[in-house]
Amino acid sequence: MQGRVVISGAKNAALPALTAALLTEDRVILHNVPRVRDISTLRSLLEDLGVDSSVTHEAHGNRIEIEARQLLNPVAPYELVKQMRASVLVLGPLVARFGQARVSLPGGCAIGVRPINLHLKGLEKLGAKISFDHGYVQARANGLRGTDFYFDTISVTGTENLMMAASLAEGVTELENAAREPEVQDLACLLNKMGAHIEGAGTHKIRIHGVSRLHGTEHTIIPDRIEAGTFLIAAAITGGELQVERCIPEHLTAVLARLGEVGVHAVQVAGESSNGGQILRVKPGGKLRALDISTEEYPGFPTDMQAQYMTLMTQAGGSSVITETIFENRFMHALELARMGADITVSGRCAVVRGKTPLSGAKIQASDLRASASLVLAGLAAEGETLIDRVYHIDRGYERIEEKLTLMGAKISRVSESD
Ligand code: EPZ
């Protein structure tokens, strides 16, 4: 595979940005919003709440205009929340601005239990009354008040939910052991443009000086670092030369460091890409070396790159141990890779990958978003044809992946059930 690929906006930055628009009655305009299914699901939820929104195609991604002038009903229904647990991100903004929210509890997920106890504990500390009934969490508040909150576990959407809620609280809030992900920083940047006073995003201590009102603004969503990492591995596993454009290499430091040690050298090309953002170029680097990794919160090696990295390790010389520290059940892809000939042993949160093993095409099925990406990568490296079932998972977070891969020389097409 060769060529160039242009990275889309980050799903995990666009989702909280859309819910942040609930914090003001003014218009919020977002650019570089990826055309992925999770965004459409969230837009349906926002429209259910009574929010007006419109979408326009732009050169890169979509422009979405959102206006939450009023609220019809503060309810995030089970039907939508079960499709996308990030719907929980409406909770903080709704209770902060409208004093009430009723959100279906997300329930379990393929990759782990994923409770929202820290979101709720934090909202309670901000003064909200939390109750549960019929599978829903109800939050009520007569105005929130600033507080200090320590996250027992670092949580990305937990940090985002409380940062949004605290923006309209009376007084100062300090979030400790907060998530440092670039998506959290991008949300803080948007909120500050809306008139919030947030300091320290990107560190473990975020301080929010509450304000009485937020206003409209215009904001461009950051590029998707996980999509960029996925394509870097696509090039590495096929021995191709690739230019990854419209990305922010700094957001991929841990990934680039590990790939470098494995023998995949991606260099930053000087200057801006004609599509905006920076450029990473990866060239074929010879034999892949096995290397142990452990997933961590940012700036460590992201859990959302673990599955793709596992596929790469099936083509590396030697054994590697992959430790998943964030989610308790994120090795579903290992069984499917084994069906293609990979030699992987999973025990609890550790997987041992023995390489290099030739992969052969097979009928396999995706279990979640990043698992499906890892199976597409395996299909690119395998001999013969691979048929991946349940690819709807991949459409949740990758924009037109088969078109982008085809432009890089891959033989990949979408087939419907009946074919
Ligand atoms: C975000 O999920 C991302 N999703 C996930 O990406 C990503 O895998 C994850 O962060 C970790 O980086 C979005 O941003 C929409 P967490 P989130 O709360 O916020 C535990 C993808 O593929 N926890 O940081 O839901 C939790 O169980 C998705 O794009 C609690 O115990 O993850 C987990 O073990 C998948 N209580 C750990 O913290 C809580 O209240 C980290 O989860 C919250 C979290």
Side-chain angles (χ1 to χ4, degrees), residues 166-412:
S167 298
L168 284 179
E170 200 185 310
V172 178
T173 296
E174 276 210 358
L175 301 178
E176 294 224 39
N177 203 28
R180 296 188 275 173
E181 271 67 5
E183 295 77 24
V184 171
Q185 298 173 46
D186 198 39
L187 177 63
C189 171
L190 166 63
L191 291 168
N192 282 340
K193 282 184 190 169
M194 294 169 68
H197 291 176
I198 300 173
E199 301 149 358
T203 74
H204 275 323
K205 185 179 267 198
I206 300 178
R207 174 181 287 225
I208 303 118
H209 304 257
V211 296
S212 56
R213 184 182 179 282
L214 292 171
H215 53 73
T217 191
E218 198 153 347
H219 180 70
T220 299
I221 299 292
I222 55 172
D224 195 317
R225 62 193 166 102
I226 305 299
E227 186 194 20
T230 303
F231 285 122
L232 286 173
I233 291 187
I237 207 167
T238 56
E241 175 159 351
L242 181 68
Q243 193 154 294
V244 178
E245 298 186 4
R246 213 174 153 78
C247 65
I248 300 179
E250 188 201 321
H251 291 170
L252 285 154
T253 309
V255 173
L256 295 173
R258 296 290 90 68
L259 289 181
E261 291 174 73
V262 162
V264 182
H265 300 290
V267 289
Q268 182 168 349
V269 177
E272 268 249 318
S273 125
S274 55
N275 293 297
Q278 283 113 48
I279 301 177
L280 277 170
R281 184 175 293 140
V282 60
K283 289 204 165 116
K287 287 204 170 2
L288 296 170
R289 289 185 295 279
L291 179 80
D292 301 352
I293 59 146
S294 186
T295 62
E296 289 168 63
E297 295 88 359
Y298 190 85
F301 192 96
T303 173
D304 293 348
M305 281 299 301
Q306 178 258 98
Q308 302 92 314
Y309 183 81
M310 181 181 280
T311 302
L312 184 69
M313 284 300 101
T314 66
Q315 300 310 298
S319 294
S320 55
V321 178
I322 297 177
T323 307
E324 174 53 59
T325 69
I326 308 292
F327 294 110
E328 61 275 20
N329 183 36
R330 201 168 203 180
F331 286 137
M332 302 286 276
H333 41 282
L335 299 169
E336 299 301 305
L337 291 172
R339 296 190 64 254
M340 298 177 75
D343 180 351
I344 305 171
T345 316
V346 172
S347 144
R349 291 197 181 219
C350 281
V352 179
V353 184
R354 291 175 205 82
K356 165 180 178 141
T357 53
L359 298 178
S360 59
K363 285 190 175 175
I364 52 179
Q365 70 178 11
S367 53
D368 61 81
L369 170 59
R370 307 303 169 184
S372 42
S374 78
L375 300 180
V376 168
L377 296 176
L380 295 172
E383 169 272 321
E385 184 179 88
T386 297
L387 201 61
I388 306 176
D389 194 2
R390 299 186 181 178
V391 285
Y392 55 80
H393 285 295
I394 211 162
D395 295 332
R396 293 189 51 181
Y398 289 87
E399 184 177 323
R400 299 171 300 107
I401 191 165
E402 77 274 23
E403 287 171 33
K404 291 190 180 187
L405 286 170
T406 302
L407 286 173
M408 295 152 60
K411 289 197 181 41
I412 178 169

